[in-house]
Amino acid sequence: MAQFALSASATLTPFERGAKYWSKLFAGSSRRYAGNTIPFTRSPRKGLSFIALGTTMRNGDIMQTIEGEAVLPTYAWPDKQKPRVCILGGGFGGLYTALRLESLVWPNDKKPQVLLVDQSDRFVFKPMLYELLSGEVDAWEIAPRFSDLLVNTTVQFFKDRVKFLQPTDHFEINQLTQTRSGGMVHLESGLLIEYDWLVLALGAEAKLDLVPGAAEFALPFSTLEDACKVDEKLKALERKQFGSNSSPIRVAVVGCGYSGVELAATISERLQDRGVVQAINFETTICPTAPSGNREAALRVLSSRNVQLFLGYFVNCIKKCGEVEVSDNVTKTLEGRDTARQHDHDKLILELQPAQRGLKSQILEADLVLWTVGNKPLVPPLEYYDQPLAFPINGRGQAETDETLRVKGHPRIFAVGDSAAVRDSSGKLLPATAQVAFQQADYAGWNIWAAINNRPLLPFRFQNLGEMMTLGRNDAALSPSFIEGLTLEGPIGHTARKIAYLIRLPTDEHRVKVGISWLAKSAIDSVALLQSSLTKVLSGS
């Protein structure tokens, strides 16, 4: 047993009730889903320190001391003999790797214990975030809770953030030692997780430091929280405009890749004649890497709606209208608009600089700026005692992997999704898309099975199945790779896209619930359309 002395009892009052809770939480497997709230801190000197709970506990349960120095609590895996797999990140790469491990056939003593860690308590099906803005889907359909998805599995979920890693598998490479453990994960809450196999699937976050003012005034669109913020902002602008004769709502979308084009198409359909969408792109075309059929379909949709394309421009800065010096360019650009709007300090000004010859600088005014350019992969830092280590990182900030998805120099660590720099057979870096992450999760799960059972690992081979994009409530474009030159667009493309994503939802139970919900909504929409058509016919007669 290890006794912990109280240095200041007055400061420990909030934690006295927590000792029994933590003992129950980590002593066994009775609690599968948990969140930890006790604030532990990492000391700047050698070793780790924590705020003591003021109680005596058994060695190995929660806390222990080494030569009188306190260390952080370690997560107690339910079974000390079975392999331990820790998956960091619950996106497409992380969650689907966990589900793949669950679906494989294991010898009785080899099935691993799987712990999934994510900063959110919900999985987000990101390709369908745009449908939240159009009202086509409900949040529970594309953002179910991990606890609901994993209820019929042995996968455990923990809500927390990763602070840094302490791997030990590099010792195996150097033949210094051979241990079962692959290293430790340090979470921001102070909890330590010892693992045998680790999967990095932390995804990426929006990179808003590319342009002055972007971090302060622009909204990204990559998470459920982002989508909810954008929806609330649009609702506020719609309420403000309702019943007044004010100028149209102006939304600027920076970036015309898939995300920017899908946002522009969705928002322009939502606002209709009440708003103007301004889409800005560095390239002279939209979706430069997309199949020509998808790009042409998108251009037709955007041109048919109130979308202004500024191609061949980059954003120099974003400022509030009141902070902009009234130059000749600004005055000329804003000329003709009502005086009240010009003096509304809530409006934003975007200064555009030409990226191509023959173009002139532009000044745009916007009520809302959406940022879809650039992302930063979330690869946690490494530390070994007081010596910092580093993953082999490429220019994008992704961990370099071998062909089996193992991080180079770390045979116990796999990386998938945005966290991984994986190349195809020609050496070209694969894009960070949901389709790539789906397939990597399948291989990562299988290769962990192979590693645990001493079987050869499979090299990852990406198979491009095609590309899809939404263009509105009843419009989409889909170009399957197995039929060259074919593009499904309009209502047919929309239906095909929804069916494809329905099949890709995480579990059978969730697919059934969402499928029933979508069928019910489709039936209601069909009845409403029929009633509207009949009303028009009868009124016309």
Side-chain angles (χ1 to χ4, degrees):
M1 291 186 179
Q3 182 70 37
F4 299 92
L6 299 179
S7 58
S9 59
T11 62
L12 299 173
T13 303
F15 306 109
E16 292 175 355
R17 292 180 297 176
K20 189 177 296 183
Y21 168 78
W22 277 77
S23 297
K24 292 179 180 179
L25 181 59
F26 299 111
S29 59
S30 58
R31 293 286 299 275
R32 294 181 54 223
Y33 304 101
N36 47 305
T37 58
I38 299 181
F40 294 91
T41 59
R42 184 170 180 269
S43 173
R45 60 186 175 83
K46 187 173 183 178
L48 298 168
S49 63
F50 66 94
I51 299 175
L53 295 180
T55 186
T56 301
M57 301 180 186
R58 295 182 179 180
N59 181 30
D61 284 348
I62 302 298
M63 301 178 183
Q64 58 184 350
T65 58
I66 301 175
E67 297 180 356
E69 186 175 4
V71 297
L72 293 176
T74 302
Y75 176 75
W77 293 88
D79 193 313
K80 295 182 179 180
Q81 300 301 320
K82 292 184 177 181
R84 301 163 297 182
V85 178
C86 182
I87 301 176
L88 303 179
F92 291 115
L95 176 63
Y96 285 67
T97 297
L99 295 175
R100 174 64 167 158
L101 289 169
E102 180 73 13
S103 68
L104 293 171
V105 178
W106 298 85
N108 292 332
D109 60 339
K110 292 290 185 70
K111 184 175 182 179
Q113 306 162 91
V114 180
L115 177 63
L116 179 65
V117 180
D118 194 87
Q119 64 183 9
S120 172
D121 60 355
R122 291 177 181 271
F123 163 75
V124 181
F125 201 92
K126 291 186 177 182
M128 299 198 74
L129 279 176
Y130 312 96
E131 277 82 345
L132 281 180
L133 299 183
S134 65
E136 193 173 349
V137 301
D138 296 322
W140 70 267
E141 296 171 345
I142 62 168
R145 296 185 183 276
F146 286 111
S147 56
D148 294 331
L149 295 175
L150 302 175
V151 67
N152 294 321
T153 71
T154 60
V155 178
Q156 301 178 72
F157 172 70
F158 205 85
K159 181 182 177 181
D160 211 329
R161 292 175 179 265
V162 180
K163 189 173 184 181
F164 63 93
L165 308 178
Q166 283 187 325
T168 58
D169 54 353
H170 56 291
F171 287 146
E172 297 180 19
I173 295 291
N174 298 326
Q175 298 180 349
L176 297 177
T177 182
Q178 187 74 25
T179 61
R180 177 194 172 195
S181 174
M184 300 282 287
V185 176
H186 293 244
L187 302 180
E188 286 190 357
S189 62
L191 183 68
L192 309 182
I193 301 175
E194 187 176 13
Y195 63 85
D196 301 318
W197 306 94
L198 182 70
V199 179
L200 291 179
L202 291 169
E205 64 181 7
K207 195 172 183 179
L208 295 172
D209 57 355
L210 300 174
V211 170
E216 185 177 1
F217 301 118
L219 294 180
F221 195 84
S222 61
T223 68
L224 178 64
E225 291 74 19
D226 293 340
C228 291
K229 287 180 182 178
V230 172
D231 185 51
E232 287 300 317
K233 181 64 176 177
L234 287 172
K235 288 178 179 177
L237 292 171
E238 289 166 337
R239 287 194 297 267
K240 183 178 179 180
Q241 191 204 45
F242 182 75
S244 66
N245 294 322
S246 60
S247 301
I249 298 169
R250 292 183 176 270
V251 179
V253 179
V254 182
C256 289
Y258 268 108
S259 181
V261 169
E262 289 176 299
L263 264 179
T266 301
I267 294 175
S268 62
E269 182 185 52
R270 171 171 171 167
L271 296 178
Q272 297 183 9
D273 58 353
R274 294 175 290 113
V276 176
V277 176
Q278 304 164 121
I280 308 152
N281 201 36
F282 181 83
E283 303 281 350
T284 56
T285 184
I286 66 171
C287 300
T289 62
S292 58
N294 281 12
R295 183 166 54 251
E296 291 167 4
L299 281 170
R300 283 193 292 271
V301 168
L302 296 180
S303 63
S304 67
R305 299 175 186 169
N306 206 1
V307 177
Q308 300 174 357
L309 294 177
F310 293 85
L311 304 179
Y313 287 93
F314 65 88
V315 179
N316 189 47
C317 68
I318 304 174
K319 298 179 181 179
K320 274 198 171 183
C321 190
E323 299 174 357
V324 178
E325 296 182 2
V326 183
S327 64
D328 292 339
N329 286 338
V330 175
T331 303
K332 189 173 182 180
T333 302
L334 301 180
E335 187 177 355
R337 299 180 189 174
D338 57 273
T339 304
R341 185 177 182 88
Q342 291 185 40
H343 292 85
D344 191 338
H345 291 181
D346 290 335
K347 302 298 183 289
L348 300 172
I349 297 296
L350 293 85
E351 296 183 6
L352 307 187
Q353 295 295 327
Q356 306 290 332
R357 290 184 178 180
L359 299 176
K360 296 181 180 180
S361 299
Q362 298 274 355
I363 301 292
L364 302 183
E365 183 184 5
D367 299 284
L368 174 63
V369 178
L370 302 179
W371 194 268
T372 68
V373 179
N375 58 63
K376 180 172 60 177
L378 299 175
V379 177
L382 306 187
E383 288 190 18
Y384 180 70
Y385 297 112
D386 284 342
Q387 301 298 320
L389 301 174
F391 280 130
I393 301 294
N394 69 353
R396 298 183 181 179
Q398 300 167 307
E400 291 280 0
T401 68
D402 62 19
E403 61 179 3
T404 65
L405 302 180
R406 290 185 298 185
V407 175
K408 293 180 179 179
H410 294 275
R412 300 290 193 96
I413 302 177
F414 292 80
V416 297
D418 294 330
S419 299
V422 183
R423 290 171 169 78
D424 59 20
S425 56
S426 64
K428 183 180 179 181
L429 198 65
L430 292 174
T433 63
Q435 182 181 180
V436 173
F438 282 139
Q439 298 184 32
Q440 288 175 342
D442 191 43
Y443 275 80
W446 174 264
N447 282 342
I448 292 175
W449 180 95
I452 291 174
N453 289 281
N454 297 316
R455 302 289 183 85
L457 277 61
L458 293 177
F460 175 69
R461 294 290 182 266
F462 172 64
Q463 183 180 4
N464 185 9
L465 302 177
E467 299 184 20
M468 301 182 290
M469 62 192 310
T470 181
L471 297 171
R473 283 187 63 90
N474 200 34
D475 206 344
L478 186 154
S479 296
S481 62
F482 47 85
I483 304 179
E484 187 175 355
L486 174 65
T487 299
L488 303 178
E489 53 184 296
I492 296 177
H494 179 266
T495 302
R497 177 178 176 272
K498 291 194 72 173
I499 293 174
Y501 281 152
L502 180 65
I503 295 172
R504 282 295 191 179
L505 290 177
T507 65
D508 292 338
E509 182 178 1
H510 189 63
R511 277 191 288 270
V512 170
K513 291 179 180 178
V514 173
I516 293 173
S517 176
W518 287 357
L519 284 174
K521 291 177 183 177
S522 178
I524 293 172
D525 290 342
S526 298
V527 171
L529 180 61
L530 178 61
Q531 290 178 338
S532 176
S533 300
L534 289 174
T535 301
K536 290 181 179 179
V537 171
L538 293 175
S539 61
S541 60

